[in-house]
Amino acid sequence: MEVVILPEIEAIGVLAADAIGELLARKPTAVLGLATGSSPLVVYDELAARWAAGKVSFAQARGFTLDEYVGLPAGHPERYRTVIDTVFVSRVDFGKGAVDGPDGLASDLRAACASYEDAIHGAGGVDLQILGIGTDGHIAFNEPGSSLASRTRIKTLTKQTRVDNARFFGDDLDAVPTHCLTQGLGTIMEARHIVLVATGRGKAEAVHHLVEGAVSAMWPATILQHHPHVTVLLDDAAARRLQLVDYYRETYLSKPHWQGI
Ligand code: GLP
């Protein structure tokens, strides 16, 4: 696991966009794993700017989102399919239907989960997965207690996650759905490269467990310690509880630029 601590949030966007740009240059048909939430927005903003400047194209790429609320009606602004379209997909040149997400409106939710796994597999798997992290250490919507080998499935959201996400629903906790469909931890672990973005003090405890804690279903993101290629991009506030913070800084400072992340 590589830990990169950068003082400016914009620099996090640049570094992640560099990795995605390099991937698309060598593999224009790359499959991207797209996360919702506020953390990856700097990455999407940077990629949209590069697309507008003609520096990158998604025309042949595919995308898969991580998760979806159950039951939010089509067109609801907080439905993750709508969100990812608004914040990223509609701002670049993905082909029609190139970005898929779990179907939280399916009449058979279990079947929708299975077919989502098939779709990711059929596309050749995810080349680069962008991730955020919840304050309770969840990735996608894999809440504490999730099986470390889980696949795409129906989950019940914790109160903490619903409180955290209420800001997107007019601070009305009752408006936040109770259930979701989410890629499992086992599904996410199959991505070839995982780039996790965490910023702000509120993420410091989860980041501490992710990077330096014991692997445990209580902090689901810790499963990433078993992945061979994870890059964790942090600002100073999110890194404030890391024991080896000086080591991470020195390591990154002495890394040759050409090596990338
Ligand atoms: C939601 C999403 C996660 C995201 C998390 C953190 O729960 N399902 O994918 O990582 O929020 O979001 P934020 O980046 O806004 O803090």
Side-chain angles (χ1 to χ4, degrees):
M1 184 176 283
E2 178 179 29
V3 179
V4 181
I5 305 161
L6 297 164
E8 305 290 335
I9 290 177
E10 290 71 23
I12 291 176
V14 167
L15 205 54
D18 283 349
I20 292 169
E22 281 159 26
L23 169 64
L24 287 166
R26 76 171 180 273
K27 184 180 180 184
T29 58
V31 178
L32 302 177
L34 304 173
T36 46
S38 45
S39 307
L41 294 180
V42 282
V43 183
Y44 301 145
D45 288 347
E46 178 65 23
L47 287 170
R50 290 185 191 196
W51 177 77
K55 293 180 182 161
V56 66
S57 172
F58 301 84
Q60 297 179 64
R62 297 281 313 272
F64 288 93
T65 59
L66 285 168
D67 45 14
E68 183 59 276
Y69 292 111
V70 168
L72 282 189
H76 190 289
E78 291 309 324
R79 201 172 170 232
Y80 280 168
R81 282 192 182 197
T82 312
V83 170
I84 202 67
D85 199 47
T86 307
V87 302
F88 183 44
V89 176
S90 66
R91 301 168 69 195
V92 296
D93 62 342
F94 276 108
K96 199 169 160 36
V99 176
D100 202 358
D103 184 0
L105 288 174
S107 52
D108 185 342
L109 292 170
R110 280 176 205 272
C113 293
S115 72
Y116 197 57
E117 289 273 336
D118 290 345
I120 296 171
H121 192 253
V126 171
D127 290 297
L128 189 150
Q129 174 69 56
I130 301 283
L131 277 186
I133 186 169
T135 55
D136 61 1
H138 73 249
I139 50 175
F141 270 138
N142 292 281
E143 299 283 27
S146 290
S147 159
L148 298 179
S150 49
R151 312 299 308 187
T152 303
R153 68 211 185 290
I154 307 163
K155 285 291 284 182
T156 306
L157 297 172
T158 61
K159 179 90 179 290
Q160 178 68 56
T161 296
R162 294 181 63 239
V163 168
D164 286 348
N165 289 1
R167 68 190 194 277
F168 298 115
F169 293 82
D171 285 324
D172 178 5
L173 184 58
D174 292 336
V176 185
T178 52
H179 290 80
C180 64
L181 304 185
T182 181
Q183 285 189 35
L185 295 171
T187 319
I188 294 167
M189 285 289 284
E190 286 171 3
R192 296 177 187 96
H193 182 195
I194 294 176
V195 178
L196 185 146
V197 177
T199 55
R201 288 174 77 96
K203 299 294 172 68
E205 186 182 15
V207 167
H208 155 71
H209 286 279
L210 159 69
V211 178
E212 298 177 339
V215 175
S216 161
M218 286 304 288
W219 292 92
T222 57
I223 188 62
L224 299 179
Q225 293 178 25
H226 282 287
H227 192 285
H229 192 185
V230 175
T231 311
V232 179
L233 303 180
L234 307 172
D235 67 357
D236 291 328
R240 62 196 282 276
R241 285 199 48 196
L242 292 176
Q243 200 178 327
L244 302 182
V245 66
D246 293 338
Y247 172 68
Y248 305 133
R249 288 187 198 280
E250 284 159 21
T251 304
Y252 187 66
L253 276 176
S254 60
K255 185 178 182 181
H257 181 68
W258 50 261
Q259 212 175 336
I261 56 173

